[in-house]
Amino acid sequence: MRIMKWFKPVSLQDLAFAFQRLTGFILAMYLILHLAFLSTLSDPLTYESLIAITVSPTFLPLDSLLVLCGIYHGLNGIRVIIHELGYLHEHRKALLVICAILTVIAWLYATWVMYEVV
Amino acid sequence: MEFRIRRFDGENSFWQSYEVPTKKGMTVLECLYYIRDNLDSTLSFRASCRMGICGSCAVKINGKPKLACETQVSELKNPIVVEPLDNFKVLKDLVVDFEGFFAKHKMVKPFIVRDDIDYNSPVELIQTPKELAKYYNYSLCIKCGACVSVCPAAATSEDYLGPAALVAAYRFCADSRDKDCKDRIEIISSERGVWRCHSAMACSEVCPKKIEPAKAVQLLRRKAIIHSIKKLFRW
Amino acid sequence: MAEKSAKNVLEPYAWLLQIITGLAMVGLVTFHFLTTHMVEHALSFESVSLRFQDYGYKIIYALLLIFVAFHAFNGLRAIALDTEFGMKRKKLVNWSMVVVFLAALIVGLYIMFLF
């Protein structure tokens, strides 16, 4: 499969690209699932029984990983937009490091929020 | 040092190892010449200037595309793995097919377009240092193909113009002497043009001339966007 | 010629909108995450229906829905067109993404107008 070449990076820069593509795909699939799930709102009982399963400590790690995908895709997306508008190409490595650090911080915070509430 | 070379005889691809007596200051290209002259005369590779100007000898060395003539063996780990460039059709051993690469290059009109050139009474085309600086860096491209070989978009889309051709397009669009960039913009804003770039920036990472092809593509994209907005409002 | 102008309109604006929706979503998705995770029982049927009855929430969620659907399916479209397989079926890819985008909007709006 030639598309596997998207995921064979030669540097950190295209490793970031590979993850952007992967997380984007995961999030798009989640969107479909999310909308399908919310369709059950037409029947409160079904919705409540499903939400009882998904909002539970066993599901939290999966939820946390999904949030990681979202945070990475968003922050790395901002980085890519800066470059795609033609700026800061000379500082791309620094920008990538900043982006990675912010992703980890935001993810830890989000995960903490999720565990606190549940 | 051991050289592990990925070879191709037209039908089969196979690995072959050679032991090369290296000394300080030797380049990978010199070792390839040593192998061909002393160990195996059937080994094929491309090379010409031996000094990083012609762009013929780009190969994948230990997983990254490099100019063989500018890569010192003393900087590499043993064994040295040499492969042909990715994203190109291999013709024989380390020699790849550049036909499509140069065809794309030609497509973007890599020359100055003017309608006032009079060969009977030629005049100098004056340019300030500031105007020169706008494109000078991009004029250093030696068409070695390293950028295309690592581009994820080029890997899956054969007709994607690719970073090298787009650098050439930007180099002439940014030249103050060029008077017709519109044609070039039309070509590069097709769906096989700048829109296939997703800023993986692998090209900029491996360019042996450090000319930042990724930046050229983005600046070209900016021109394409402005062009299409103007076209929409018929300015 | 028709094809030429079509591709020249679609690709640049798709790219521009991808950036605009992407930036807007950073704010909207963060808001969405915080409203559903900062409060206890935020996902119970009662809280969801309460939120949806509020017009402010409704507008924000409608915006989020439009942006997220466009961004997701335009992104998938770009991925598909990056391959030879997809590029050979360009029209099919473009139209199926339009259909999926509209379907997502209809489903999303249906959910919102349940309340």
Side-chain angles (χ1 to χ4, degrees):
Chain A
M1 283 291 272
R2 284 167 78 184
I3 57 166
M4 287 320 287
K5 285 194 180 174
W6 293 340
F7 308 104
K8 283 180 186 159
V10 290
S11 68
L12 282 177
Q13 298 289 330
D14 47 333
L15 180 72
F17 161 80
F19 277 127
Q20 185 76 354
R21 200 142 260 206
L22 202 66
T23 52
F25 188 77
I26 293 169
L27 291 168
M29 292 305 118
Y30 173 74
L31 171 68
I32 296 169
L33 214 72
H34 191 51
L35 286 175
F37 185 101
L38 289 183
S39 303
T40 62
L41 277 170
S42 57
D43 176 19
L45 280 179
T46 323
Y47 175 79
E48 286 287 6
S49 64
L50 281 174
I51 210 79
I53 303 169
T54 49
V55 184
S56 63
T58 31
F59 250 77
L60 260 185
L62 271 179
D63 215 1
S64 167
L65 278 179
L66 179 78
V67 169
L68 175 62
C69 285
I71 291 171
Y72 174 81
H73 196 83
L75 287 172
N76 190 56
I78 293 174
R79 183 186 70 86
V80 172
I81 290 171
I82 292 171
H83 289 321
E84 293 213 345
L85 295 175
Y87 302 108
L88 299 175
H89 278 256
E90 296 74 12
H91 305 290
R92 59 179 179 275
K93 199 164 187 183
L95 220 59
L96 193 63
V97 173
I98 292 170
C99 175
I101 293 171
L102 287 179
T103 302
V104 172
I105 293 172
W107 178 53
L108 289 176
Y109 174 71
T111 307
W112 175 75
V113 166
M114 284 154 71
Y115 273 89
E116 273 291 287
V117 173
V118 171
Chain B
M1 271 178 121
E2 186 194 345
F3 271 72
R4 272 174 61 74
I5 298 179
R6 198 170 91 206
R7 303 198 57 189
F8 181 67
D9 61 9
E11 281 170 5
N12 303 307
S13 182
F14 56 97
W15 289 93
Q16 198 160 352
S17 289
Y18 303 95
E19 197 60 39
V20 181
T22 56
K23 57 182 183 201
K24 208 177 167 221
M26 243 174 135
T27 64
V28 171
L29 183 61
E30 284 177 271
C31 296
L32 291 177
Y33 273 121
Y34 178 90
I35 295 168
R36 202 185 63 185
D37 293 346
N38 303 290
L39 306 173
D40 187 347
S41 60
T42 65
L43 179 71
S44 300
F45 56 89
R46 257 199 211 110
S48 184
C49 75
R50 310 180 191 209
M51 50 199 276
I53 291 174
C54 75
S56 308
C57 67
V59 284
K60 215 161 103 182
I61 301 167
N62 287 352
K64 285 195 178 174
K66 287 184 167 124
L67 294 180
C69 68
E70 285 195 328
T71 308
Q72 295 282 325
V73 280
S74 56
E75 289 169 4
L76 300 169
K77 275 183 195 156
N78 198 15
I80 296 169
V81 181
V82 186
E83 296 165 84
L85 290 179
D86 285 339
N87 300 348
F88 287 95
K89 194 181 144 210
V90 182
L91 297 176
K92 187 177 184 297
D93 300 340
L94 302 174
V95 179
V96 292
D97 187 3
F98 261 59
E99 201 122 317
F101 178 88
F102 285 118
K104 286 171 194 165
H105 197 252
K106 262 187 195 161
M107 267 167 73
V108 301
K109 300 191 175 185
F111 43 79
I112 286 172
V113 180
R114 286 182 79 94
D115 51 12
D116 59 351
I117 290 180
D118 180 4
Y119 287 103
N120 295 321
S121 47
V123 284
E124 261 183 292
L125 298 173
I126 308 292
Q127 196 163 49
T128 65
K130 214 176 164 184
E131 285 168 334
L132 173 73
K134 275 190 181 162
Y135 70 86
Y136 174 72
N137 191 29
Y138 303 111
S139 72
L140 300 177
C141 174
I142 55 173
K143 285 96 194 158
C144 66
C147 52
V148 174
S149 80
V150 292
C151 174
T156 49
S157 171
E158 257 170 49
D159 291 337
Y160 169 47
L161 285 171
L166 293 172
V167 163
Y170 183 73
R171 177 250 173 275
F172 284 97
C173 275
D175 193 322
S176 61
R177 297 166 298 177
D178 186 81
K179 290 295 171 229
D180 189 19
C181 189
K182 269 189 191 158
D183 253 16
R184 240 175 257 127
I185 294 283
E186 288 281 343
I187 296 160
I188 61 96
S189 60
S190 79
E191 79 269 5
R192 302 281 197 175
V194 285
W195 317 112
R196 295 271 72 76
C197 169
H198 304 292
S199 294
M201 278 175 287
C203 51
S204 290
E205 291 291 306
V206 300
C207 175
K209 293 286 154 187
K210 305 259 180 291
I211 63 170
E212 304 263 356
K215 189 177 177 183
V217 179
Q218 308 324 322
L219 295 174
L220 207 53
R221 174 150 37 197
R222 193 190 286 176
K223 279 184 188 290
I225 280 284
I226 293 168
H227 176 74
S228 28
I229 291 174
K230 274 186 178 174
K231 221 166 94 175
L232 188 72
F233 293 104
R234 295 201 167 77
W235 278 341
Chain C
M1 200 57 210
E3 199 197 331
K4 196 177 177 186
S5 59
K7 74 190 171 194
N8 282 344
V9 169
L10 183 61
E11 294 295 336
Y13 294 111
W15 177 77
L16 211 58
L17 286 174
Q18 191 75 354
I19 285 187
I20 294 167
T21 53
L23 286 175
M25 273 162 57
V26 172
L28 289 172
V29 173
T30 308
F31 171 80
H32 181 48
F33 174 84
L34 293 178
T35 47
T36 50
H37 288 85
M38 277 301 225
V39 190
E40 260 180 85
H41 306 297
L43 291 172
S44 71
F45 185 82
E46 218 172 311
S47 339
V48 173
S49 66
L50 261 180
R51 274 206 300 278
F52 272 137
Q53 275 158 23
D54 184 295
Y55 274 98
Y57 271 112
K58 239 181 191 150
I59 292 168
I60 289 174
Y61 272 114
L63 277 178
L64 176 61
L65 174 69
I66 295 168
F67 287 172
V68 87
F70 177 87
H71 195 89
F73 298 118
N74 186 50
L76 288 182
R77 188 188 73 89
I79 293 177
L81 292 187
D82 275 351
T83 64
E84 286 298 326
F85 183 85
M87 193 54 105
K88 276 190 194 130
R89 295 157 183 81
K90 194 179 69 189
K91 270 192 182 157
L92 179 72
V93 170
N94 286 342
W95 281 110
S96 42
M97 285 308 150
V98 170
V99 170
V100 184
F101 168 67
L102 291 176
L105 283 195
I106 291 166
V107 172
L109 290 175
Y110 160 76
I111 294 164
M112 278 166 60
F113 284 96
L114 281 174
F115 304 98

